[in-house]
Amino acid sequence: MASTEPAAEPPVAGSEAPDRPSDEAILQQQNQIRAEQAKVSEYVGQEENLGALKAEYENGNQNFVQKIGKLEERYRTFRRTRGDGNCFFRGFIYAYLEGLLQNSDLAEANRFMSVVQSWKAKLVEGGFQELVFEDAMELLLEQVKEVTKASDQFAQEKLLVNMRDDMVSNMIVMFLRLVTSCEVQRREDFFFPFILGMYDEPPATVELFCQRHVEPMGEESDHLHIVAVTEALQIPVRVVYLDSSGLPAGGGGGGAGALEASCHDFVPDSCPPGTAPRVHLLYRPGHYDILYAKSG
Amino acid sequence: MATARQRLLKEYKEALKQKSEDTGITLIPNETNLFAWRAVLRGPKETPFEGGVFELVINVPEQYPLQPPAVRYRTKIFHPNVHFKTGEICLDILKNAWSPAWTLHSVCQAVLALMSDPAPDSPLNCDAGNLLRFGDTRGYNSLARMYTLDYAR
């Protein structure tokens, strides 16, 4: 049809780019998609047996099934997070706060609160205006205070409700993103080589990388984000990588043993090597959920 | 919504402190609605917009600062990244690169930077974009200047 059309009209000053929806229309549609997602999955789901995870792969790749079977030896349950690009940060902070609550770990809670407060000065020094992060920081501190007050069923429910709340949950994620960005920029020399390796056309500076891939909500987290945030808050994390690969963990060459998901521990420099992780996350390509280790 | 209001009040206090003579930006909230603002920008020096005064309309969503404000020019402007009829602006930080670290004031700074440094490869105004893409800086400058004189004074 295009070929039979008469030649385009001569340009007049300011002729428009081809029809496109307005920004508001795009935003509205994004909100609608989010609302639909919200119906399907909460920001933070319920604790589920690993059997539910295994069931997803029963008719699929058997490597997953085998690896989950092996996981069941060490983990009792898991909890899904919404796949909105914020799953790492949300899963991480939820699992951490829940751990504080369940262990009534007052010493750790106090340590964490003073670390969070120490970020106020660092963020300002890093060029962030106080007004952009202070409310979010308050919200996070409130959650910590809340979980140290009581560790009953009610407190647990309350944490879940808060972390499912659009504003509270997302403001906390946003604060973690700013802290991560600031940490990456403070240790530019350390992080820049990683950034260069992550992209075919890497961002020219660490600052640009942070503005484009760390600070915006919904930008997915990579290894680098995890290193930065675990260092910044001094919280050791274990990530269990569950994928379809058929090589035995450890790559010992023997290959006779059952397939096992590989793990990676992110232990901050300030913690002695081998410090037990406070948060366990399950990574499947593109997504993080929370894992619960068997006690003892 | 309470969070957005709280944040906007802080930004308002901050805006009162800023001197427009230094920044070229005046931010004014609607008297009865903290979610509707306008900004008056002074056309940056050494651009065809110099000497012009450009008004932006800013609508802040309830989910602010988790979601970006909607910003458009009320004043007509000939610029590759501004829709000639609607005043809509093509700027990544108003869309997918938005982060809550931006404020209404820093958004205005970014808009000013865009006036000085147009991105002709992602045009909303194809004519302005084409002039620059084909190296006709003179043609672009004179048209942009003409519209500045006609509409932005």
Side-chain angles (χ1 to χ4, degrees):
Chain A
M1 184 178 133
S3 58
T4 61
E5 288 286 304
E9 285 177 37
V12 288
S15 69
E16 295 139 54
D19 267 357
R20 59 184 285 284
S22 71
D23 283 359
E24 270 112 314
I26 294 170
L27 199 66
Q28 210 170 22
Q29 196 195 9
Q30 281 172 346
N31 284 341
Q32 201 183 331
I33 294 169
R34 275 193 207 111
E36 275 161 27
Q37 261 180 342
K39 273 185 246 157
V40 181
S41 73
E42 299 277 6
Y43 285 132
V44 183
Q46 293 292 348
E47 219 174 315
E48 295 175 67
N49 284 321
L50 286 176
L53 185 64
K54 214 197 260 176
E56 284 180 33
Y57 299 100
E58 218 79 280
N59 300 318
N61 190 308
Q62 290 305 301
N63 289 352
F64 277 105
V65 179
Q66 254 192 63
K67 289 180 182 179
I68 297 165
K70 192 81 181 153
L71 269 186
E72 283 176 318
E73 293 172 12
R74 285 180 293 142
Y75 292 97
R76 52 185 165 91
T77 50
F78 78 113
R79 191 189 289 275
R80 296 177 205 269
T81 63
R82 190 185 299 172
D84 62 356
N86 298 313
C87 54
F88 165 73
F89 286 108
R90 210 185 308 273
F92 163 73
I93 197 64
Y94 181 83
Y96 176 72
L97 291 172
E98 193 184 29
L100 285 184
L101 180 98
Q102 286 172 346
N103 304 323
S104 309
D105 195 341
L106 209 59
E108 170 63 14
N110 287 330
R111 181 202 67 80
F112 180 66
M113 283 199 278
S114 61
V115 170
V116 168
Q117 274 152 346
S118 76
W119 274 96
K120 186 172 178 167
K122 291 183 207 168
L123 284 164
V124 169
E125 195 185 294
F128 294 92
Q129 269 181 282
E130 217 171 311
L131 70 88
V132 311
F133 66 79
E134 58 191 356
D135 295 340
M137 187 171 118
E138 260 331 294
L139 272 174
L140 175 57
L141 290 171
E142 264 172 46
Q143 298 314 306
V144 184
K145 282 178 205 148
E146 203 68 49
V147 300
T148 53
K149 270 193 240 157
S151 61
D152 51 12
Q153 188 60 39
F154 181 69
Q156 179 105 24
E157 273 302 313
K158 199 164 176 187
L159 176 63
L160 194 57
V161 167
N162 284 341
M163 291 305 292
R164 285 177 175 179
D165 178 84
D166 271 325
M167 200 40 105
V168 177
S169 194
N170 287 326
M171 289 292 273
I172 289 174
V173 168
M174 161 211 150
F175 179 74
L176 296 177
R177 286 183 175 278
L178 297 187
V179 165
T180 306
S181 164
C182 193
E183 171 79 12
V184 173
Q185 294 183 65
R186 285 165 70 86
R187 294 168 62 209
E188 192 173 349
D189 294 345
F190 174 76
F191 284 111
F192 195 51
F194 293 96
I195 294 170
L196 289 177
M198 279 163 74
Y199 303 93
D200 292 336
E201 287 176 49
T205 63
V206 168
E207 190 187 0
L208 280 175
F209 165 80
C210 288
Q211 283 180 1
R212 191 61 196 83
H213 298 285
V214 183
E215 292 168 19
M217 296 293 285
E219 281 293 315
E220 288 182 13
S221 295
D222 229 302
H223 208 85
L224 181 146
H225 301 70
I226 308 181
V227 171
V229 78
T230 50
E231 282 288 344
L233 301 175
Q234 294 159 42
I235 299 173
V237 171
R238 172 168 296 170
V239 178
V240 176
Y241 292 89
L242 184 60
D243 58 24
S244 61
S245 70
L247 292 172
L259 290 178
E260 197 172 344
S262 56
C263 293
H264 187 89
D265 283 355
F266 295 82
V267 181
D269 288 341
S270 60
C271 300
T275 305
R278 288 190 174 273
V279 169
H280 295 253
L281 297 173
L282 174 69
Y283 178 80
R284 283 178 284 169
H287 187 67
Y288 294 88
D289 292 308
I290 303 167
L291 274 174
Y292 294 93
K294 285 184 174 168
S295 48
Chain B
M1 180 128 173
T3 314
R5 187 173 292 280
Q6 206 172 325
R7 161 85 179 242
L8 287 168
L9 279 171
K10 286 179 189 168
E11 292 201 30
Y12 176 56
K13 277 191 205 149
E14 198 64 28
L16 291 176
K17 281 192 240 158
Q18 304 274 356
K19 294 270 177 294
S20 65
E21 304 90 76
D22 305 335
T23 60
I25 300 165
T26 313
L27 262 170
I28 312 142
N30 182 303
E31 280 167 28
T32 56
N33 180 5
L34 195 55
F35 289 80
W37 293 59
R38 58 194 193 92
V40 180
L41 306 185
R42 213 170 51 216
K45 289 209 173 77
E46 286 156 40
T47 71
F49 312 109
E50 186 173 352
V53 174
F54 297 84
E55 189 179 334
L56 303 180
V57 183
I58 304 175
N59 284 310
V60 183
E62 283 177 16
Q63 296 91 337
Y64 184 78
L66 294 166
Q67 288 187 5
V71 181
R72 60 179 67 218
Y73 279 87
R74 176 169 281 159
T75 309
K76 199 170 261 315
I77 177 170
F78 183 79
H79 183 288
N81 311 107
V82 183
H83 196 290
F84 193 67
K85 279 188 188 147
T86 65
E88 199 182 318
I89 305 168
C90 181
L91 187 59
D92 60 349
I93 59 150
L94 292 174
K95 302 189 176 84
N96 55 351
W98 167 258
S99 101
W102 292 91
T103 62
L104 299 185
H105 192 268
S106 59
V107 163
C108 290
Q109 286 175 320
V111 172
L112 277 177
L114 190 66
M115 286 169 92
S116 305
D117 198 5
D121 288 329
S122 54
L124 269 181
N125 177 334
C126 293
D127 295 327
N130 285 340
L131 285 170
L132 282 178
R133 267 192 291 194
F134 295 111
D136 189 358
T137 317
R138 208 170 139 198
Y140 166 75
N141 281 343
S142 56
L143 267 171
R145 185 79 202 139
M146 183 186 89
Y147 282 103
T148 303
L149 294 175
D150 278 357
Y151 290 98
R153 291 171 64 101

